[in-house]
Amino acid sequence: MGKTVKTIGVLTSGGDAPGMNAAVRAVVRTAIFNGIKVIGIRRGYNGLLNGDMFEMNLRSVSDIIQRGGTILYTARCLEFKEPAGVEKAKNICIESGIDGLVVIGGDGSFRGARDLSNLGIPCVGIPGTIDNDISSTDYTIGYDTAMNTAVEMVDKIRDTAQSHDRCSVVEVMGRHAGHIALNAGIACGATCIIVPELPFDLDEMIMKIKRIQKTGKEHFIVIVAEGVGNVSKIAEEIEAKTGIESRATILGHVQRGGSPTVRDRVIASQMGYHAVSLLKQGIGNRVVGMRGNDIVDYDINEGLAMVKPFDKQLYQIADEISI
Ligand code: ADP
Ligand code: F6P
């Protein structure tokens, strides 16, 4: 256990995610409840290096729990990847009286938090990314909202695919991971789901579509994780080899916005609370996560070294019920 923390900083870093505001709110309120001062840092590690920060009070986080994006803004900061940048950030923390830091972001942001912790500023990471690609947690803030947005969009696409007897090939986000694709795919009744984690055979997919067409199905949805890429090419191949008119859609950043779902708001609140509880005891170099229904924490390096399994069983179910 480290020394007691009197002032903490909070920042959001990397890609934004719905629910980040709920996490910021929980951090600020838990800290103030415990007599800890809170400094909000704007635009991730950039704000730390530029001194772009302000003291937050109970009302600074009013009316934000329902808002997507992040009121603290977010950014990617190259300077912080260099040892000199981390050293500079440490000195700014000391000058500003910040003796603990909550970093809400993804794996990259956690690496930065680890580096700063190693220089003596206790940092705690909270997983915030729509991709759910962080190994030290079953769940990342923003994932549920993004999946729901994806499904809502695909439902709309399905209406027009049905009217035109078309095949719609839809790319969803996820960076290198296929978790959004798998879950959105099963939830919107996709005929095929293509993810980077599993091998994919275009000819097998074409055969499946032709087979299903013979049973009377007239329109099709194919969900592709962005890590696989080239939805236009896939749509062209489907059209050329099946004769079914096909269209490609890239959902894009619509999946990053919008009001967070209940799940995102609740988990963000729990994680924000947990992060401050650690810092309150002077404990840093930890990442908060979720295992089953429990909020847990790990050493950052231990967390970064973990490997996230892909849910092959769910993929199998999706495949078997889309015949
Ligand atoms: P995410 O946190 O969503 O994974 P990034 O990978 O873009 O997003 O990382 C966000 C920020 O975290 C980067 O802009 C940088 O400031 C910091 N960061 C990323 N990787 C490292 C690293 N290896 N060492 C130190 N800081 C890092
Ligand atoms: O990590 C979240 C995410 O939306 C990924 O799904 C996507 O690959 C990436 O960020 C897009 O990042 P940018 O904000 O640079 O467009």
Side-chain angles (χ1 to χ4, degrees):
M1 192 177 298
K3 67 179 168 59
T4 313
V5 162
K6 293 196 180 70
T7 303
I8 62 168
V10 57
L11 59 81
T12 49
S13 170
D16 65 347
M20 278 185 165
N21 279 329
V24 171
R25 173 180 178 271
V27 167
V28 171
R29 297 266 171 92
T30 309
I32 293 175
F33 182 86
N34 285 284
I36 299 169
K37 192 169 137 181
V38 191
I39 306 289
I41 300 162
R42 295 191 187 90
R43 297 182 176 84
Y45 293 116
N46 277 326
L48 196 53
L49 293 175
N50 304 332
D52 186 5
M53 43 183 98
F54 62 104
E55 185 172 343
M56 300 184 84
N57 61 39
L58 291 173
R59 300 282 70 83
S60 313
V61 289
S62 292
D63 195 30
I64 67 166
I65 195 163
Q66 78 286 10
R67 283 168 58 187
T70 159
I71 59 155
L72 292 178
Y73 302 86
T74 187
R76 299 192 170 101
C77 172
L78 286 181
E79 189 184 350
F80 197 76
K81 283 191 172 181
E82 303 301 324
V86 187
E87 180 70 28
K88 184 175 164 192
K90 176 198 84 175
N91 292 330
I92 292 175
C93 284
I94 293 169
E95 283 161 22
S96 319
I98 294 173
D99 43 18
L101 183 67
V102 177
V103 173
I104 305 167
D107 272 352
S109 305
F110 293 170
R111 287 193 181 87
R114 172 204 55 203
D115 295 350
L116 194 55
S117 292
N118 287 342
L119 295 188
I121 308 291
C123 298
V124 176
I126 294 179
T129 163
I130 64 163
D131 303 332
N132 201 27
D133 60 348
I134 299 179
S135 306
S136 50
T137 184
D138 295 345
Y139 190 80
T140 61
I141 297 166
Y143 180 47
D144 190 54
T145 307
M147 287 189 296
N148 276 288
T149 302
V151 169
E152 194 187 329
M153 296 299 118
V154 176
D155 285 349
K156 290 177 197 290
I157 290 170
R158 181 193 275 272
D159 286 345
T160 166
Q162 177 266 318
S163 307
H164 287 263
D165 296 321
R166 281 177 178 159
C167 174
S168 266
V169 183
V170 185
E171 180 188 297
V172 298
M173 276 190 167
R175 204 179 289 266
H176 307 297
H179 307 296
I180 295 179
L182 172 59
N183 286 273
I186 196 165
C188 68
T191 297
C192 299
I193 303 170
I194 311 177
V195 293
E197 289 88 347
L198 297 174
F200 159 69
D201 186 323
L202 186 79
D203 291 331
E204 262 180 37
M205 182 179 78
I206 304 283
M207 266 157 38
K208 181 176 180 184
I209 292 173
K210 282 183 174 167
R211 205 168 49 236
I212 298 174
Q213 201 183 18
K214 286 198 188 111
T215 69
K217 193 168 169 61
E218 294 165 326
H219 69 278
F220 299 83
I221 301 289
V222 175
I223 299 291
V224 183
E226 69 172 322
V228 173
N230 221 335
V231 271
S232 300
K233 183 101 186 3
I234 295 172
E236 274 166 29
E237 296 262 6
I238 292 171
E239 183 162 322
K241 292 185 176 161
T242 63
I244 302 166
E245 196 180 11
S246 299
R247 291 286 186 273
T249 307
I250 297 175
L251 288 189
H253 288 86
V254 68
Q255 297 159 98
R256 284 246 293 266
S259 185
T261 59
V262 172
R263 185 163 163 77
D264 276 323
R265 296 182 201 195
V266 172
I267 294 174
S269 301
Q270 289 175 294
M271 287 183 171
Y273 176 88
H274 192 91
V276 177
S277 306
L278 291 170
L279 285 177
K280 188 173 82 173
Q281 304 166 67
I283 300 171
N285 200 24
R286 307 291 290 178
V287 274
V288 175
M290 195 165 191
R291 289 290 181 224
N293 287 322
D294 298 328
I295 302 294
V296 297
D297 56 89
Y298 300 102
D299 171 271
I300 297 186
N301 268 330
E302 196 190 320
L304 287 169
M306 291 175 179
V307 177
K308 188 159 201 152
F310 187 75
D311 195 343
K312 288 188 185 151
Q313 202 186 350
L314 188 60
Y315 189 88
Q316 182 62 29
I317 292 171
D319 193 42
E320 284 188 26
I321 62 176
S322 58
I323 51 174

